[in-house]
Amino acid sequence: MRSVPTCTVVLAQRGTQTMPDITVEDILTQIAKLPPTEQIKLRHLLAQPQQEPQQPSKPPQDRRVPPLPVPDSRREVQWLAAHAREYAGQWVALDGDRLLAHGPQHHDVWAAAEASGVYLPLVTFVEHPDSIYAGF
């Protein structure tokens, strides 16, 4: 393996200079004195985009929300079967077998169900039990 000679750049030609005393002209003079291979290396180095200093990365925040259980609607279905004639043609809001609200307007029943604070109430329109539904 061939070793690559290193080149030391001395910027202080006029005695001891501190960093504020060094000018761009001093640096360019020193670069002109570099061998062509070192100038090419410097050109490639300067052409590379500058990377920001690495800061310790924070672990990403987990923004997932744990799933909430879907309520079992068997009690609501039983209530609807038992009270279909009573509330036929109306909207009802149910929490299990408890009637939260009922009425002819969906938005009124929904607002009352939301105001009750119940988690996922069943809001549905009660068809007349003797009506025939053809599916279209």
Side-chain angles (χ1 to χ4, degrees), residues 12-106:
Q13 292 180 347
R14 295 172 279 174
T16 305
Q17 289 182 316
T18 59
M19 202 58 160
D21 296 333
I22 299 171
T23 64
V24 174
E25 288 78 21
D26 293 334
I27 296 171
L28 292 175
T29 303
Q30 294 296 324
I31 291 172
K33 293 179 183 178
L34 289 174
T37 57
E38 293 299 312
Q39 288 182 8
I40 292 170
K41 284 183 192 177
L42 182 60
R43 189 176 298 123
H44 287 289
L45 178 68
L46 294 174
Q48 293 176 358
Q50 297 297 316
Q51 296 179 357
E52 293 295 323
Q54 290 287 343
Q55 295 180 1
S57 62
K58 297 178 185 175
Q61 291 181 338
D62 189 356
R63 296 186 186 274
R64 294 177 291 176
V65 177
L68 297 174
V70 176
D72 183 10
S73 60
R74 284 181 271 188
R75 293 186 309 165
E76 286 92 341
V77 171
Q78 290 172 349
W79 187 94
L80 286 168
H83 299 278
R85 291 193 190 287
E86 227 178 307
Y87 295 96
Q90 293 186 51
W91 287 90
V92 295
L94 301 170
D95 178 34
D97 55 3
R98 181 171 64 112
L99 179 65
L100 300 173
H102 67 92
Q105 300 297 320
H106 173 265

